[in-house]
Amino acid sequence: MELVAEYSAVQRIAKDTMNYIKKQISPGMRLTEIRKICENRMLQLGADSFWYYNVGAFVFSGTDTVLSLSGRKYKTADIVIRPDDIITIDLSPQCNKVWGDYARTLIMQNGNIADKIEHIKNEEWRKGLLMEKMLHKKIKEFASPLTTFEELFFFMNTFISENGYVNLDFSGNLGHSIEKNKNDRIYIEKGNKTRLGDAAFFTFEPHIKRENGMYGYKKENIYCFKGNYLCEI
């Protein structure tokens, strides 16, 4: 339980930062400014560093939301937010080598971030976020401590495909274990026979787009098991 509290505290830094930036984003802001605000906010809230190649906030907008890049190659694009836009922010705070990992796709509508999915007027965007919501519901229904990373990979990718979406991740995976060193991560991928219950914490972060669609969607949480129940921290 002590570990859960530690990771929940760092994850709270990411969640609070996401809630903060939702209120700060406005048309005309540049992605570079959004990244700076997010990273400064996480440091203010107690993060001491950023675990993923020292990038605290990956920010994409518009059709660039389909991009999936390693932190080694990421550079924040000098793009301006439009009054009606789609923005993905992926946060990676760290404190005393404890990670947070949290991503959301946000919808700018008439100059403001939409507060509820059902209020999104753009049908493609609304359905994309609803699909992400469904995927996170499905993992709770499907996964048990005995489920392997590979079994989860095949189940979720089948569900994604059957519903008319494509997995965009550059490595094809859907998440990873939470470690002290990023090079020690294992992934929700083909061939990984490790049981989910053998990883203290792991992310689920499907990055998807509609088949023939122009935009990407991402929702990332950290999960762990309490008994047989999978819960978000």
Side-chain angles (χ1 to χ4, degrees):
M1 292 301 293
E2 182 179 347
L3 272 179
V4 173
E6 288 182 9
Y7 280 93
S8 294
V10 180
Q11 189 72 337
R12 174 53 56 191
I13 291 172
K15 293 178 179 180
D16 288 350
T17 297
M18 192 70 73
N19 288 330
Y20 178 79
I21 197 62
K22 285 179 182 179
K23 299 174 183 177
Q24 304 300 313
I25 296 175
S26 61
M29 286 183 71
R30 297 184 178 277
L31 301 193
T32 49
E33 184 179 358
I34 293 172
R35 174 182 173 179
K36 183 177 180 180
I37 291 172
C38 287
E39 292 182 342
N40 286 342
R41 186 66 175 178
M42 286 186 284
L43 294 173
Q44 291 168 2
L45 292 173
D48 57 31
S49 55
F50 309 120
W51 66 266
Y52 192 53
Y53 298 101
N54 202 36
V55 179
F58 289 77
V59 188
F60 300 92
S61 69
T63 55
D64 279 0
T65 52
V66 301
L67 298 178
S68 178
L69 302 172
S70 166
R72 296 186 186 94
K73 300 178 181 179
Y74 174 72
K75 291 184 179 180
T76 308
D78 189 24
I79 295 175
V80 173
I81 296 297
R82 300 167 298 173
D84 293 281
D85 215 337
I86 180 169
I87 308 152
T88 293
I89 302 174
D90 193 341
L91 304 174
S92 304
Q94 179 174 241
C95 185
N96 295 323
K97 295 187 177 180
V98 174
W99 298 357
D101 210 354
Y102 188 75
R104 290 294 185 270
T105 294
L106 310 176
I107 303 300
M108 177 72 75
Q109 186 167 268
N110 298 324
N112 295 292
I113 297 296
D115 58 344
K116 294 182 179 180
I117 296 177
E118 56 266 31
H119 293 168
I120 297 170
K121 296 177 182 177
N122 184 302
E123 183 179 15
E124 182 179 351
W125 295 351
R126 184 176 67 252
K127 288 184 175 180
L129 294 195
L130 287 172
M131 182 61 184
E132 285 283 0
K133 184 177 180 180
M134 177 59 71
L135 290 171
H136 281 263
K137 179 174 182 288
K138 281 292 179 182
I139 190 176
K140 290 184 177 181
E141 295 173 352
F142 175 76
S144 78
L146 298 180
T147 304
T148 67
F149 280 76
E150 180 182 59
E151 288 168 343
L152 181 60
F153 169 83
F154 281 120
F155 176 82
M156 284 300 179
N157 273 304
T158 297
F159 188 82
I160 289 168
S161 178
E162 288 178 347
N163 282 273
Y165 285 82
V166 176
N167 179 357
L168 291 171
D169 185 82
F170 69 91
S171 295
N173 68 67
L174 294 165
H176 56 80
S177 61
I178 296 292
E179 308 290 349
K180 296 294 185 182
N181 185 317
K182 65 180 179 295
N183 297 321
D184 293 334
R185 287 173 295 167
I186 59 174
Y187 297 90
I188 303 172
E189 64 182 354
K190 181 179 179 180
N192 186 354
K193 308 292 187 180
T194 304
R195 294 172 176 176
L196 296 175
D198 292 333
F201 306 95
F202 63 92
T203 68
F204 181 57
E205 48 179 309
H207 183 196
I208 60 173
K209 78 174 184 73
R210 188 78 186 175
E211 290 179 0
N212 302 317
M214 297 174 59
Y215 304 98
Y217 312 93
K218 192 172 189 182
K219 179 178 181 178
E220 178 181 29
N221 293 330
I222 294 177
Y223 288 100
C224 69
F225 285 99
K226 293 183 179 179
N228 289 321
Y229 177 69
L230 184 66
C231 60
E232 174 193 346
I233 67 167

